[in-house]
Amino acid sequence: MTGQESGGLARLRRAAGHTQETFVKAFRQESARLGIAAAVSVRQLRRWESETPPPLPHPGQQAVLEAMFGMPLAEMGFDVPGHRVTVAAPISDAGEVKRRTFVADAGALAAAALLPAAPGPRIGTADLGRLRERLDGLYQTDHTAGSVPASTQAERIEAGITRALSSASYTAGVGRELQTMLAELHGHRAWYGYDGGRIAEGRAACMEALAAAQLVDDPLLQVSVLETLVLLAIKAGRSWEAASAVENGYRLATQAGAGATVHLVIALRDTNVATHAGDLSGARRALSRAVSFQGRADADTDVPNWAKFVGPFEVDYATADMYVRADQPKRAVPFLRAAVRGIGGGLARNSASYRVKLAGVLLAAGEVDEACAEVGGVLDTWGGIASPRLLGKVHDFQRAAGVVDSPTARECMARIRETV
């Protein structure tokens, strides 16, 4: 039956949730953990699975295979010579025979490898696809309707994933993906804490997300959490924590071979830290890096969902923020106008936030009528967005406009009170 998957090894491999390619990777990882110089190629794996009898693995490969499946090589369909047979027996009784200690007899282990080991529903790749679609939808909800409805959706998804991890039956690969999704959800909750002004709650969610991302060994997921931690740490007055998060973000992105878009996000957070600290020279350096990364972002072929929001408008916004910090609102205005023009319709919450920021800077620059017009545009679509941070910005504008002796300003304040 050469060319077909016919042996026990193929069934075990599929039951563990592996393709031939992912099995080869898992084999390499297991050999590294065991400290055994053994490897297998996809071509060799195909021979093991299709030929009758299959070629015998060498002793190092045998040790890795037996560790991966928890059963003797002979039970996987190989014709093993007597001197290399491993049996289930107490180690103290091994004597002259090479033995391994297994937790059950070989027949029971084979059954356990092929059947769900735990009660409850079976979670497979189709279920993961549905969960992934719901999880990715949180970005759209947050960007268009705000963090309040997104947080409600996230709670439901998190409950489902936690329930699946606790009581469902799944392969190791599916379990790892479920844990990855849970780490992402903690990251979402961190952002909702920031947007809602619940800074301590957001930082706690960041710590959970970082720990979960480390457990699944996903450096880019860690970067996504760190970029939110920067914002939270700044709000908490922990500038040293924000700076450390930036440095670790750069390190992890380099380690993961991340593209220019991910590095652009980190450079923008680097700018946030320097601007907040009043280090305008540092902010200019970070912005120069951001511009360099932005120029190379078009070449990226695989951008994580959490980094897809970024673009030239974010660089313009960060530049304007630097000028505001330097008490130069008139120099900030053209950059904020460019940011508002460039943000795109799919980011309604951010677009509204940018416009309110522009309105505040215009007000500081003495352009009262234009400032109120920008806020009026935001209020026209107010009912569709639920974001505490956006609400706070509108109230900040309201307080600033309250000291301006202008009919336009008074009319704008009245409309804010009626709408918000």
Side-chain angles (χ1 to χ4, degrees):
M1 297 182 65
T2 302
Q4 301 177 3
E5 295 178 4
S6 59
L9 182 61
R11 291 194 299 274
L12 291 169
R13 188 252 307 158
R14 289 195 298 270
H18 285 300
T19 65
Q20 290 178 328
E21 288 74 15
T22 61
F23 180 83
V24 167
K25 181 179 178 182
F27 187 99
R28 183 169 62 249
Q29 292 171 339
E30 185 65 24
S31 66
R33 290 191 191 101
L34 293 170
I36 296 174
V40 65
S41 65
V42 171
R43 180 179 179 183
Q44 186 173 20
L45 177 59
R46 286 172 181 161
R47 291 188 63 203
W48 284 348
E49 294 185 349
S50 63
E51 295 186 13
T52 306
L56 183 67
H58 65 64
Q61 291 172 325
Q62 176 179 351
V64 176
L65 286 170
E66 290 180 337
M68 291 180 74
F69 293 114
M71 65 176 65
L73 188 65
E75 296 295 331
M76 302 178 208
F78 292 95
D79 186 7
V80 184
H83 69 281
R84 286 181 51 187
V85 170
T86 53
V87 297
I91 293 176
S92 58
D93 294 339
E96 297 297 324
V97 182
K98 178 186 177 184
R99 301 178 187 270
R100 283 178 57 98
T101 299
F102 295 105
V103 296
D105 67 271
L109 281 170
L114 296 170
L115 299 174
R122 179 81 176 183
I123 303 295
T125 54
D127 303 292
L128 286 180
R130 288 188 288 271
L131 279 169
R132 171 55 63 188
E133 187 175 350
R134 292 176 64 195
L135 184 59
D136 291 347
L138 291 176
Y139 291 103
Q140 181 68 18
T141 302
D142 181 41
H143 289 319
T144 57
S147 66
V148 175
S151 180
T152 301
Q153 291 180 19
E155 287 176 8
R156 290 196 292 266
I157 299 171
E158 183 174 349
I161 293 177
T162 303
R163 188 165 55 248
L165 282 167
S166 301
S167 60
S169 178
Y170 44 81
T171 64
V174 169
R176 185 183 187 280
E177 184 59 26
L178 287 170
Q179 291 183 70
T180 300
M181 290 183 183
L182 193 58
E184 290 181 44
L185 274 167
H186 291 321
H188 280 285
R189 286 200 295 108
W191 165 258
Y192 303 148
Y194 173 73
D195 190 65
R198 303 183 305 276
I199 304 306
E201 183 179 317
R203 288 186 68 254
C206 268
M207 297 305 110
E208 283 192 74
L210 276 175
Q214 288 171 348
L215 287 174
V216 295
D217 192 24
D218 191 329
L220 284 186
L221 186 51
Q222 293 176 58
V223 173
S224 76
V225 180
L226 288 170
E227 69 102 358
T228 303
L229 181 58
V230 171
L231 301 174
L232 287 159
I234 288 174
K235 284 289 186 182
R238 301 170 69 92
S239 56
W240 66 92
E241 184 176 80
S244 180
V246 166
E247 289 307 311
N248 276 279
Y250 277 129
R251 176 181 60 80
L252 288 164
T254 301
Q255 172 187 322
T261 303
V262 169
H263 281 87
L264 169 58
V265 174
I266 303 168
L268 288 168
R269 295 294 171 258
D270 196 359
T271 306
N272 292 145
V273 173
T275 299
H276 177 76
D279 179 10
L280 300 184
S281 295
R284 283 194 296 271
R285 287 194 299 272
L287 278 170
S288 294
R289 283 195 292 274
V291 170
S292 175
F293 290 130
Q294 176 59 51
R296 288 176 273 159
D298 288 343
D300 281 354
T301 56
D302 187 16
V303 179
N305 278 330
W306 56 267
K308 288 180 179 177
F309 74 90
V310 78
F313 54 88
E314 285 279 350
V315 180
D316 288 331
Y317 188 89
T319 304
D321 208 30
M322 179 186 68
Y323 282 123
V324 170
R325 183 69 174 78
D327 199 24
Q328 299 180 38
K330 290 188 176 181
R331 296 192 69 178
V333 166
F335 289 98
L336 279 171
R337 282 179 174 150
V340 169
R341 287 194 304 268
I343 194 169
L347 302 174
R349 185 249 301 144
N350 278 5
S351 178
S353 179
Y354 280 22
R355 292 188 72 179
V356 175
K357 174 83 169 183
L358 172 59
V361 174
L362 285 167
L363 195 66
E367 303 291 341
V368 178
D369 291 351
E370 190 176 354
C372 292
E374 287 294 340
V375 170
V378 172
L379 296 177
D380 288 341
T381 59
W382 185 258
I385 304 173
S387 166
R389 191 164 66 98
L390 175 59
L391 177 62
K393 287 188 174 185
V394 172
H395 284 316
D396 288 343
F397 178 86
Q398 186 180 21
R399 283 190 289 271
V403 300
V404 177
D405 185 15
S406 160
T408 304
R410 287 191 290 273
E411 181 181 344
C412 183
M413 288 174 61
R415 188 176 176 204
I416 291 174
R417 284 193 295 271
E418 292 170 2
T419 306
V420 177

